[in-house]
Amino acid sequence: VDLRGYGESDKPLDSKAYTIPQLVSDIIELISSVCKDKCVLVAHDWGGIIAWRVVYQRPDLIAKYIVLCCPHPKRYLELAKVDLNTLIRQWYVLLFQFSYISEVIIRADDYLFLKLLFTGSKTGVVNTNRMDDDAISAFIYTFSQENALKCPLYYYKTMRDPNKQRDQPRDQKVQIPTLLMMGVHDSFLTQALGEGNEKFVENIRVKNIDGSHWLQQDCADEVNREMRGFLEN
C-alpha cells in the first residue's frame, strides 16, 4: 500500500495533511475497510513509525505485526539521548525538513541522490544484484511525477512542529506478537536499536539480517522466510 503522498496515492499539497495522526488514521481506515477480521500488519521505515501507533491505538485490528528497520519509537528516543551515533545517522531527517532545498539536491544530475541512496557503497544494498538499473529507473520514474517528491518530504517538514505530532505511543507494553527485522549493515540505524525493544513489547522476536536498510529488496528470500516462520508459529 502506498502511503499518502507516495506512488499513486492521493497527494494533498498542504503539509498539515502529513502529520502522524493523519497518517495513522489512513491506515486504520484502510484496515477497517478491507479486512473482515484481524490483519497481519507489515511495515518498513516510515511505514513502521506509523504502524507502531496503529498497533497501540487499534490492537483489535491486528493479529500480528512485522516491522523492518524501525525499532519501537520509545527505544529510539531512549538511545538517541545517550548515543551520538544514533543521531548522526539520521542526518537526512534534518535535510529533508527543508523541502525546497531537498528537492533540488535529489533531482540534481538525473536523480543521482536516489541512485547513490540505493546502490552507493555506504547506504545502498549489500547484494547489488538485487537493485539493478531497471529497479532504479522505476524509483526515478515514480519520484519524477508531479508532486511525487514534494509530498513525501512533507513527512519530515511536519516534524519541525512537535504540536502536530501528537498521539505518541502509550506507556503500556504492546501485546501483539511482533517480529522486528534489522539490517546488520543499515547505514541509518545502529544495531543497538534492535536491542531493548522487549521493554516495550511483551512478545517480540528480533532478527538481525545481513543486509542494508533496504532489507525487503536486499535480502528478500531471508525476509520472506522469517515472515513465514513467524506467521506459522
Side-chain angles (χ1 to χ4, degrees):
V1 175
D2 286 330
L3 296 170
R4 71 164 64 190
Y6 282 88
E8 297 183 0
S9 291
D10 291 345
K11 298 177 177 60
L13 294 180
D14 185 349
S15 64
K16 295 178 182 178
Y18 297 88
T19 62
I20 292 291
Q22 291 274 10
L23 300 170
V24 170
S25 178
D26 283 349
I27 303 304
I28 290 175
E29 290 182 20
L30 176 64
I31 295 172
S32 301
S33 298
V34 302
C35 297
K36 294 182 179 179
D37 201 353
K38 293 184 176 182
C39 75
V40 175
L41 185 60
V42 182
H44 169 262
D45 192 68
W46 251 111
I49 293 173
I50 298 164
W52 278 112
R53 288 156 173 85
V54 174
V55 167
Y56 269 104
Q57 291 186 28
R58 293 299 305 271
D60 58 303
L61 297 177
I62 315 298
K64 289 187 174 183
Y65 176 41
I66 300 172
V67 59
L68 285 68
C69 303
C70 184
H72 189 284
K74 287 187 178 295
R75 174 55 182 158
Y76 177 82
L77 292 174
E78 180 181 72
L79 194 59
K81 292 177 181 178
V82 297
D83 180 35
L84 182 60
N85 190 31
T86 297
L87 291 176
I88 291 174
R89 290 195 183 205
Q90 298 284 290
W91 57 268
Y92 63 94
V93 174
L94 178 60
L95 171 63
F96 289 171
Q97 289 180 32
F98 301 93
S99 54
Y100 177 76
I101 296 173
S102 297
E103 281 197 65
V104 172
I105 293 174
I106 295 171
R107 293 185 192 278
D109 199 7
D110 192 24
Y111 292 87
L112 179 62
F113 184 95
L114 285 182
K115 296 174 185 176
L116 293 176
L117 190 66
F118 292 116
T119 63
S121 60
K122 292 187 177 180
T123 62
V125 294
V126 173
N127 300 299
T128 54
N129 62 313
R130 294 287 189 172
M131 190 69 72
D132 59 18
D133 291 341
D134 288 341
I136 296 298
S137 294
F139 279 116
I140 292 175
Y141 173 80
T142 297
F143 285 108
S144 65
Q145 302 306 300
E146 184 177 6
N147 299 318
L149 192 53
K150 179 189 297 291
C151 294
L153 289 170
Y154 283 152
Y155 280 61
Y156 297 91
K157 185 176 181 179
T158 59
M159 296 173 71
R160 290 158 61 182
D161 184 355
N163 292 325
K164 295 178 182 177
Q165 303 294 7
R166 294 172 184 169
D167 292 347
Q168 294 296 317
R170 302 167 188 172
D171 291 333
Q172 67 263 35
K173 279 189 172 184
V174 171
Q175 299 299 319
I176 295 169
T178 300
L179 170 62
L180 168 62
M181 288 182 270
M182 300 287 288
V184 172
H185 305 287
D186 194 321
S187 298
F188 308 109
L189 301 171
T190 64
Q191 283 295 286
L193 286 168
E195 304 166 1
N197 286 271
E198 65 277 0
K199 291 187 292 184
F200 311 106
V201 186
E202 187 66 36
N203 181 2
I204 186 170
R205 180 186 178 195
V206 180
K207 176 66 177 180
N208 293 315
I209 295 179
D210 191 27
S212 65
H213 184 71
W214 321 108
L215 276 184
Q216 63 271 43
Q217 287 94 4
D218 206 351
C219 305
D221 293 340
E222 187 171 356
V223 167
N224 290 336
R225 185 165 55 249
E226 290 297 328
M227 290 175 64
R228 283 195 295 268
F230 176 67
L231 295 176
E232 290 171 357
N233 287 338

